[in-house]
Amino acid sequence: MMSLYAIQLECLISIWGILILLVDAFKPIPNKRTVGYLAAGFVAVALLYSFAMQPVPDTFFHGMFRLDPFALYFKRLFLLALAAVLLMAAEFSPRNRIGRGRILCAADVLRGGNAADRVRE
């Protein structure tokens, strides 16, 4: 069960990205700017939630994944950058479609911040 605790931010961001893709596929929203602001708001909520998470000294998934203070720092940094990118992209939505895949790419970036072997000695 602790393994799910370690990857809960990645799961939340992935589920949100999939929901955005499904909603846009089956019921397109005419104002894409609204979608960008909603996505940025959800990422901001996930960022705030990350401050409630506590580091765990163990490794997960057979030593490949870790939730230490360094990993939490990078998760927060990536979530802040993603929220900023989504807000900037929402401003240009009439000229440029908001990349719905940005949130799913961010989930992969968040996962990369938790790699147990970031630097080999």
Side-chain angles (χ1 to χ4, degrees):
M1 195 52 102
M2 283 299 287
S3 297
L4 292 178
Y5 175 77
I7 63 169
Q8 64 185 338
L9 282 177
E10 288 85 351
C11 291
L12 288 172
I13 296 294
S14 298
I15 289 169
W16 181 249
I18 290 169
L19 285 175
I20 288 175
L21 287 172
L22 289 174
V23 166
D24 195 43
F26 294 112
K27 188 176 185 237
I29 299 171
N31 188 1
K32 300 293 182 189
R33 186 173 287 177
T34 305
V35 176
Y37 290 141
L38 284 173
F42 180 78
V43 170
V45 168
L47 175 64
L48 291 175
Y49 178 69
S50 73
F51 286 101
M53 295 178 67
Q54 298 296 321
V56 179
D58 298 332
T59 58
F60 304 100
F61 302 109
H62 302 289
M64 293 188 328
F65 201 84
R66 169 177 305 179
L67 188 64
D68 56 358
F70 195 58
L72 281 174
Y73 168 76
F74 275 105
K75 282 185 181 204
R76 293 171 185 149
L77 181 70
F78 295 146
L79 286 171
L80 182 65
L82 176 63
V85 166
L86 287 171
L87 284 175
M88 288 186 284
E91 292 299 319
F92 296 104
S93 63
R95 289 177 268 160
N96 184 11
R97 292 189 61 164
I98 291 179
R100 295 173 300 272
R102 279 190 190 102
I103 293 181
L104 294 177
C105 291
D108 190 46
V109 170
L110 286 174
R111 184 199 49 78
N114 289 47
D117 293 328
R118 289 182 204 91
V119 178
R120 295 238 179 214
E121 296 178 18

